[in-house]
Amino acid sequence: MVAPQFHHLAGRVWLCPGDPDPEAVQAGVAVVADERGSVMIDAGQSPAHAREIQAALAAAGLPEPRWLVYTHHHWDHVWGACAWPGVEIVGHETAVSLLRAEAARPWSHRYLHEQVRADPRLRPSFQARARAMASWEDFAILPPTRTFADVDELPVGVRLRHVGGGHAPDSAVVLVPDSGVMLLGDCFYPPPAHLRRPEDDLDLGLVRRLLDDTYQWYVSSHAEPMTVEQARSAVEGA
């Protein structure tokens, strides 16, 4: 397996793709590099993944983050947070209760197995969690320490906008206007597999509403970045 690497996208924005194997359920992350304090977007799917991201940051010569933004509360975006000491965690206000509830569950490989036996629809997600977590020692699920309702802006000009949607109620997009980049997280994806109905599909209407010629790049967590022309073509052709 190739070690994660950061690649420059535009302006201050660098991307570290996740595992392309969909069974790994590993989201990519981004960093907005700034000498005043960098912003990490999503935490990695596990402490081990977070440590790989930290090594990739160092290899690319990028500064360590001062803020960690959750695009939403799903495990593959937040389970690495406990490996990022000293950062301020930022997320939508609804993520707090959702992650407190997740933190209260008795996570272990045995618990994952028991949950899959009780509800086989959980198998893809929970098997991926089991593979990601070699050890549960010192693991913790951390809610945001800085929250917002509709919009927020960090001191380095990174803007946050709550969009919600069918995938997660706390989904937010991250805007870097000086770099022409919009980071979408998973906001337009259908609900997680165990909650998905046959009629659920990509919410391209949400992407259509987000399109803005100020932004030349649109980045989702599990796919290659799209130019604004590619994004517009995708939503208009649907």
Side-chain angles (χ1 to χ4, degrees), residues 100-163:
R100 284 177 177 165
E102 288 291 284
R105 298 171 74 173
W107 296 105
S108 67
H109 284 85
R110 178 178 180 177
Y111 176 74
L112 292 169
H113 180 69
E114 290 171 348
Q115 291 297 295
V116 169
R117 288 186 61 186
D119 184 355
R121 296 176 300 171
L122 294 170
R123 184 178 305 278
S125 171
F126 278 32
Q127 284 187 340
R129 300 181 203 217
R131 288 193 295 269
M133 295 294 296
S135 170
W136 300 91
E137 187 176 357
D138 298 325
F139 172 68
I141 295 175
L142 304 179
T145 52
R146 170 174 173 156
T147 62
F148 63 98
D150 298 314
V151 296
D152 194 7
E153 182 168 349
L154 300 179
V156 291
V158 172
R159 301 174 184 172
L160 314 175
R161 182 193 306 171
H162 176 242
V163 295

